[in-house]
């Protein structure tokens, strides 16, 4: 019997608008006893084909891979991956001698829900968020090699923290291909050590590339605090931009070591930079009023809808402290990467923070994720990174 999902009457509407998720409430019955990660065909209640995708446990029951009646094979992945690569080359992000750090596959944004691939030099770090992508990982690796050719020598599979935790599968990280990788990659001409073995996410926050470039333009002569620095990305751009002083802060001492290493390979013996392992709120409390450029790029405060309220309180507190303490004429780059926090939610939190600090604040820029993290127009949930650049009188 074919592995199939039959929808309730009328529940195909969002699929007709190409939304790639099917929630459990839309399903009338499941046929053919599929297991988590299997490919299933989705039919309307009157038995018309509507989509094909990976089935999974949980409220999102199917992640749609295609709205065409086509098989999910090696050729399917090859086609999707080569479209994604062509997009990045055509806009100058891939095959760029001054930049070999980019996201090649951004899940739904590249019509491959559940799959993330970041490129660091000649290494791809691949991350599965669904059991279906986990099962297909070797096909995907082959398709990556065929698409990138000699540009790709290593593929590291890193899904131990992103696969559904209840799934009964071996989630170990390992090299699907190669393994002798240099871990230095180049972003806009700057060099970074990428620790995909032990680091967070795939090893680096590729999504801040353009926002770091904007920061560089504002850095000249300024005294900068890079709060939640992780690998020190913003700090290194600020040093190149001519900042007078750069302080990087992160609660993780591993992050501080990475930041120091990244400063050292780009600006050896540069005395303008210092890094501190300390909690953000403690540091903001005790720091003086010396900074005139502050970056706030915290981890996702809300991972689920139920923690939204607390997250907004967190953003408000954080921003209020920075707005209160920054020098007159100072600039703040403030971000939220929580998907469940909307642009409006975030703006309201920052607005309330400004009012609490009783300062005049203008919005200079409204920032988001770069073009290698595209948003599928039928899946607005894919827009997750929000940033504001503030001018504080
Ligand atoms: N701005 C970084 C990414 C930040 S990721 C970049 O451009 O790459 C968020 C960072 O916040 C992580 O490195 C994490 O260690 C740090 N962090 C989490 N909670 C913290 C806290 N309470 N105080 C300071 N840093 C914290």
């Amino acid at each position: 019997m074919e592995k199939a999902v039959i929808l309730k009457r009328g529940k195909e509407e969002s699929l007709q608008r190409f939304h790639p998720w099917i929630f459990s409430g839309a399903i009338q019955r499941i046929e053919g006893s599929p297991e988590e990660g299997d490919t299933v065909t989705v039919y309307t209640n009157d038995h018309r084909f509507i989509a094909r995708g990976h089935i999974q446990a949980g409220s999102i029951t199917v992640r749609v891979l295609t709205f065409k009646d086509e098989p999910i094979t090696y050729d399917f992945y090859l086609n999707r991956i080569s479209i994604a690569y062509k997009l990045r080359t055509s806009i100058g992000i891939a095959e760029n001698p001054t930049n070999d750090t980019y996201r090649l596959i951004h899940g739904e944004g590249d019509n491959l829900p559940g799959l993330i691939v970041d490129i660091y030099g000649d290494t791809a770090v691949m991350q599965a968020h669904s059991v279906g992508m986990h099962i297909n990982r070797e096909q995907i690796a082959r398709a990556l090699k065929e698409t990138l050719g000699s540009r790709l020598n290593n593929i590291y599979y890193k899904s131990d923290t992103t696969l559904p935790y209840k799934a009964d599968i071996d989630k170990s990280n390992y090299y699907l291909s190669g393994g002798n990788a240099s871990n230095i990659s180049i972003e806009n001409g700057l060099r970074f050590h990428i620790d995909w073995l032990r680091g967070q996410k795939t090893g680096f926050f590729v999504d801040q590339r353009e926002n770091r470039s904007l920061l560089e333009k504002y850095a000249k002569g300024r005294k900068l605090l890079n709060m939640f620095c992780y690998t020190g990305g913003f700090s290194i751009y600020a040093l190149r931009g001519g900042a007078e002083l750069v302080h990087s802060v992160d609660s993780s001492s591993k992050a501080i070591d990475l930041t120091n290493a990244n400063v050292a390979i780009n600006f050896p013996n540069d005395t303008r930079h210092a890094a501190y392992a300390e909690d953000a709120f403690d540091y903001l409390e005790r720091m003086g009023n010396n900074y005139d450029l502050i970056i706030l790029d915290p981890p996702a405060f809300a991972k689920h809808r139920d923690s939204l309220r607390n997250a907004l309180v967190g953003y408000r507190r954080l921003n209020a402290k920075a707005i209160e303490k920054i020098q007159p004429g100072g600039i703040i780059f403030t971000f939220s990467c929580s998907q469940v926090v909307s642009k409006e939610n975030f703006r309201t939190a920052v607005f309330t923070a400004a009012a609490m600090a009783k300062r005049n604040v203008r919005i200079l820029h409204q920032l988001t994720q770069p073009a290698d993290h595209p948003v599928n127009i039928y899946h607005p949930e894919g827009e997750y990174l929000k940033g504001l650049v503030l001018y504080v009188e």
Side-chain angles (χ1 to χ4, degrees), residues 63 88 102-110 112-120 124-130 133 140 144 155-159 162 201-204 206 372-373 384:
R63 293 192 184 221
R88 274 103 181 138
Y102 62 92
R103 177 156 291 189
L104 173 58
I105 304 293
H106 184 56
E108 285 83 356
D110 286 294
L112 288 168
L115 182 66
I116 296 293
V117 178
D118 286 336
I119 304 290
Y120 302 115
V125 181
M126 177 173 150
Q127 198 162 65
H129 290 248
S130 67
M133 289 300 180
I140 295 166
L144 285 170
I155 301 175
Y156 187 63
Y157 183 65
K158 188 183 188 196
S159 307
T162 56
K201 303 271 170 101
T202 63
F204 194 63
V206 187
D372 53 342
H373 295 60
Y384 68 98

Side-chain angles (χ1 to χ4, degrees), residues 190-218:
L190 292 165
R191 295 195 298 154
F192 288 94
H193 291 279
I194 314 287
D195 189 358
W196 51 78
L197 299 180
R198 286 166 296 269
Q200 304 172 41
K201 303 271 170 101
T202 63
F204 194 63
F205 285 76
V206 187
D207 56 1
Q208 289 288 23
R209 182 181 55 248
E210 287 177 7
N211 302 330
R212 291 182 190 122
S213 283
L214 183 66
L215 182 273
E216 181 177 358
K217 292 192 197 141
Y218 286 110

Side-chain angles (χ1 to χ4, degrees), residues 200 205 212 228-231 234 250-252 278-280 297 299:
Q200 304 172 41
F205 285 76
R212 291 182 190 122
F228 307 99
C229 65
Y230 186 33
T231 55
F234 283 102
D250 198 290
S251 57
S252 146
E278 194 171 335
D279 174 76
D297 184 22

Side-chain angles (χ1 to χ4, degrees), residues 17 19-21 339 369 375-384:
R17 280 183 271 112
H19 193 280
W21 293 347
Q339 197 156 14
Q369 62 218 53
V375 181
N376 177 343
I377 203 159
Y378 305 114
H379 179 255
E381 297 91 331
E383 188 179 346
Y384 68 98

